[in-house]
Amino acid sequence: MKSISREIDKDASGSVNLIPETAEDMWHAYNIIAVGDTLRGSTFRKVQQESSTGTSSSSRVRLTLTLAIEAIEFDTQACMLRVKGRNIAENQHVKMGAYHTIDLELNRKFSLGKTYWDSITLERVDMACDPTQHADIAAVIMQEGVAHVCLVTPAMTLVRAKIETNIPRKRKGHCDQHTKGLNKFYDQIVQAVLRHVNFDVVKCVLIASPGFVKDQFYEYMFQTALKMDYKQLLDNKPKFVLVHSSSGFKHSLKEVLSDPTITAKLADTKAAGEVKSLDLFYTVLQNDPARAFYGLKHVQHANAAQAIETLLVSDELFRSQKVSERKEFVALVESVKENGGEVKIFSSLHVSGEQLGQLTGVAAILRFPMPEISDDEVSSDED
């Protein structure tokens, strides 16, 4: 998603101009747009025209409309987003107050206005517009003298750094120049990894090359990390995976990612992280039920006592048509973050999100047991 401009006032009202660039961006847009918002975008309208002789003809005209949104439809298979509402701006072809639909199109700008932009929606806009925020996999594709540092998002591959260095050949009895050239090349790659890989987001870093280049680089990188005390690398050593590739160019990444032997190692990406959290919740619910709450009222009680360690919440709840309901969930998420808890927002399109939806869409793993709240709730329900 490309952000063109953002005009949000101090009272959190305002508008954002966006251009969806991939099918995945349509899913983000669906989670950002809500009933009651205003959307300005281009659409087609069939216009009847009558000539001076009395004959009529119709033609399709592209026009820009501003709608007060009343309904939103999203086709998960085709990744198509349709918005329906009343026209609220003067237009020569469409009357004020007349119903119309706008189909959001890839690479076509739309403007979204809200009376209140909450932190969850703005976070979603930032995540959609900054691909590095959701790039689960990083990769260093290399061969001697050429390397590409890439970030792999669910929708695209971004080359963050391209490193090319002339490395002198080995000569009998004169290997110093070759070793110096190689070390300089490796240094540049290490710096590119430190600069471009956000280890808080990235779950796995692939190092791929033909032959033993990857093994030599891996060894050199961690020797340098020990010498220079690069804690960022040392703390994340288990995230590095060595893989074979046919060359050091970007196109080799496809064969690396489709290699069945490493798909299991790549399992801990965002979607798998959600599954892991949900599995942990079920385990805690089974073994220590006083530390696992679900349902909005129970979770709010736990949050009031600052007991929530991990909050699991479905993105479906933020699409509620009731503004008061949406605000309630946004307030809960913000409060948990302020109290030092971790928040996992599950996609309702993913199997883990569907499972969470069956548990009311909101659940929490607590820092300490709170049986008294559970008992109080049960007794009040019985009363």
Side-chain angles (χ1 to χ4, degrees):
M1 188 96 76
K2 198 174 184 180
S3 177
I4 305 298
S5 63
R6 186 184 293 196
E7 293 167 18
I8 297 171
D9 298 331
K10 285 180 181 175
D11 63 353
S13 66
S15 63
V16 171
N17 291 316
L18 301 166
I19 299 177
E21 295 176 309
T22 65
E24 191 187 358
D25 289 340
M26 289 300 182
W27 173 244
H28 287 304
Y30 177 53
N31 284 284
I32 293 162
I33 298 167
V35 170
D37 295 347
T38 60
L39 186 134
R40 183 176 172 80
S42 69
T43 184
F44 285 102
R45 178 88 173 188
K46 203 173 186 180
V47 177
Q48 293 277 355
Q49 288 172 326
E50 200 168 300
S51 67
S52 53
T53 58
T55 57
S56 64
S57 62
S58 65
S59 59
R60 275 163 62 84
V61 178
R62 184 180 277 281
L63 39 98
T64 302
L65 294 179
T66 306
L67 304 182
I69 299 169
E70 292 188 12
I72 306 154
E73 294 170 16
F74 182 71
D75 182 343
T76 53
Q77 298 303 310
C79 278
M80 292 280 290
L81 184 59
R82 175 172 288 178
V83 173
K84 184 183 178 185
R86 288 178 183 271
N87 181 36
I88 56 167
E90 287 286 348
N91 191 287
Q92 68 177 98
H93 299 297
V94 183
K95 290 177 186 174
M96 289 279 281
Y99 276 104
H100 210 285
T101 58
I102 293 178
D103 288 332
L104 292 192
E105 298 173 55
L106 291 180
N107 301 312
R108 199 168 286 282
K109 188 179 86 168
F110 71 90
S111 177
L112 181 66
K114 287 179 182 281
T115 51
Y116 184 80
W117 284 87
D118 59 61
S119 60
I120 301 293
T121 311
L122 287 172
E123 214 172 89
R124 188 105 199 186
V125 172
D126 291 337
M127 185 179 81
C129 294
D130 181 7
T132 62
Q133 288 297 309
H134 49 107
D136 281 334
I137 302 164
V140 179
I141 310 291
M142 62 191 297
Q143 64 188 49
E144 208 167 274
V146 178
H148 293 77
V149 178
C150 309
L151 294 176
V152 184
T153 77
M156 66 189 106
T157 301
L158 302 157
V159 177
R160 278 284 173 246
K162 184 181 179 182
I163 297 140
E164 288 182 294
T165 307
N166 281 327
I167 297 169
R169 288 185 178 183
K170 279 185 180 177
R171 286 194 173 87
K172 202 173 181 182
H174 296 282
C175 292
D176 290 356
Q177 290 302 313
H178 175 78
T179 308
K180 272 183 190 173
L182 209 53
N183 289 351
K184 188 184 171 188
F185 172 57
Y186 291 161
D187 268 330
Q188 287 176 295
I189 303 171
V190 171
Q191 292 309 315
V193 169
L194 289 168
R195 194 178 309 117
H196 297 294
V197 178
N198 178 0
F199 285 100
D200 293 335
V201 179
V202 167
K203 304 289 190 300
C204 175
V205 183
L206 302 173
I207 300 175
S209 78
F212 296 102
V213 179
K214 59 185 181 297
D215 307 88
Q216 290 163 1
F217 168 68
Y218 178 81
E219 199 178 313
Y220 178 86
M221 178 167 61
F222 283 103
Q223 280 176 358
T224 307
L226 276 170
K227 268 188 221 167
M228 307 299 289
D229 195 27
Y230 291 146
K231 285 191 176 173
Q232 208 179 342
L233 292 176
L234 297 170
D235 292 349
N236 291 285
K237 194 172 181 179
K239 290 184 180 180
F240 287 83
V241 179
L242 302 182
V243 197
H244 172 79
S245 71
S246 57
S247 78
F249 294 91
K250 185 188 162 188
H251 62 80
S252 297
L253 187 60
K254 188 177 180 293
E255 74 189 56
V256 169
L257 292 174
S258 57
D259 184 343
T261 58
I262 65 149
T263 47
K265 292 176 185 175
L266 299 182
D268 194 22
T269 52
K270 186 174 183 285
E274 290 170 1
V275 174
K276 214 173 178 181
S277 300
L278 197 61
D279 286 347
L280 179 61
F281 172 79
Y282 281 124
T283 306
V284 174
L285 186 63
Q286 198 172 5
N287 301 328
D288 190 3
R291 277 187 56 233
F293 282 15
Y294 62 91
L296 183 59
K297 295 297 173 202
H298 283 70
V299 171
Q300 282 176 329
H301 271 301
N303 184 49
Q306 297 188 7
I308 296 178
E309 185 176 29
T310 309
L311 177 71
L312 318 177
V313 60
S314 169
D315 61 10
E316 207 165 11
L317 301 174
F318 302 109
R319 294 197 296 273
S320 168
Q321 297 202 4
K322 292 180 184 171
V323 177
S324 57
E325 231 173 74
R326 284 207 303 267
K327 282 186 175 176
E328 207 171 7
F329 288 114
V330 170
L332 176 65
V333 167
E334 287 176 346
S335 178
V336 169
K337 283 181 178 175
E338 277 171 26
N339 295 332
E342 187 185 4
V343 176
K344 296 262 187 193
I345 296 178
F346 285 58
S347 169
S348 55
L349 276 188
H350 194 266
V351 64
S352 59
E354 286 174 17
Q355 283 183 314
L356 185 62
Q358 291 164 6
L359 283 173
T360 73
V362 60
I365 300 167
L366 308 190
R367 294 188 175 103
F368 47 85
M370 295 187 70
E372 68 279 3
I373 285 181
S374 303
D375 296 340
D376 289 349
E377 286 294 308
V378 171
S379 59
S380 64
D381 287 346
E382 285 172 356
D383 292 342

